[in-house]
Amino acid sequence: MSLSFAKKERLNNILFQVFVSLFCFVMIYPLLWMLAGSLKTSGNALTATLIPDGLNFSNYLQGWKGFGGHSFSIFFRNSFFIAGMATLGQLFTSSFAAFGFARTRFIGQKVFFAVMIATVLLPAQVLRIPQYIMFNNWGWMDSYLPVLLPQMLPVPFFTFLMVQFIRGIPSELDEAALIDGCNKFGIYFRIILPNLKPVMVTAGIFRFYWTWNDFMTPLLYLQTVTKYPISIALRMFSDPNAITNWGAMFGMTVLSIVPTLVIFIFFQKYLVEGVASSGLKG
């Protein structure tokens, strides 16, 4: 009977592994298809097969040359600048706002916190037109200011994560710092920030991902080609009035995924730790 039970458990385990493997293949199929397309000739890049008709690494060289005399090094530089500045600004503003909600007491604190959380339900599309009118009136069009500023202001989701994390930090540390002569800013920079590393990394990864992949915001505000990020530059490969070099486009798309993939691999431990700790503390 025990032998039969062992066989049943083994069969269940095999079926589970097969199901998970098939599910994983379905999930990563688009990435595999894109990688295969970057190695195919341009005419066969859109075929459904995952086996390339040859290893055409020249697609990457052709794609890197870009278009209109502008290489992809310019667009990568722009994307790193936009995503990097947005991430740094977001980490500072969100952590500072979270410190205010978690460690200070003021009139209407719970109301303001509830309103902040409620804004998570507000679709980003609702803000597009008011923001566009406002930035246009300020003369910020074709500059990085309307692209960066909204990304650098506190996001309710990140602020909530940090508030939950800060509430788990013993308040006795703040009291000890006050006794040693620290003010609120000293507590924030010397006590809170060093202990926020896991959740800061989590927020930084999400902010970098979202900004790196953002297409609509740069499309609305940037008109100069040399200011375009990768998301817009990839769209420029597709020309309805000419022959699109799909192989080169897929090659640059593969390269555009590399930075986010590297960041996730190196910081995935902090990502899990930051989300788990923020959900349990408070």
Side-chain angles (χ1 to χ4, degrees), residues 109-227:
Q109 179 184 19
K110 293 183 179 180
V111 175
F112 285 117
F113 187 74
V115 171
M116 182 200 71
I117 298 300
T119 58
V120 176
L121 304 176
L122 187 66
Q125 291 78 5
V126 175
L127 302 177
R128 292 290 185 190
I129 295 178
Q131 285 182 344
Y132 184 89
I133 296 174
M134 179 178 65
F135 293 142
N136 185 49
N137 292 336
W138 290 353
W140 285 7
M141 302 302 293
D142 198 26
S143 72
Y144 286 132
L145 288 174
V147 178
L148 284 175
L149 186 61
Q151 311 284 2
M152 298 175 72
L153 295 177
V155 171
F157 173 66
F158 299 146
T159 304
F160 174 76
L161 285 181
M162 294 182 186
V163 166
Q164 295 298 97
F165 197 93
I166 292 174
R167 286 175 177 172
I169 300 175
S171 58
E172 289 78 8
L173 296 176
D174 297 16
E175 297 172 0
L178 287 173
I179 294 174
D180 290 339
C182 275
N183 54 20
K184 287 292 185 180
F185 291 100
I187 294 174
Y188 168 72
F189 285 107
R190 299 185 181 184
I191 304 298
I192 301 301
L193 276 185
N195 287 283
L196 281 181
K197 183 178 179 180
V199 72
M200 291 275 280
V201 172
T202 301
I205 291 175
F206 279 113
R207 179 76 282 169
F208 187 90
Y209 280 8
W210 294 344
T211 307
W212 183 274
N213 296 323
D214 188 16
F215 175 81
M216 184 58 65
T217 304
L219 181 65
L220 284 175
Y221 299 112
L222 300 179
Q223 288 91 37
T224 304
V225 176
T226 54
K227 296 179 181 179

Side-chain angles (χ1 to χ4, degrees), residues 255-268:
L255 291 183
S256 70
I257 296 176
V258 172
T260 56
L261 184 63
V262 170
I263 289 176
F264 176 79
I265 292 175
F266 278 96
F267 294 102
Q268 59 178 332

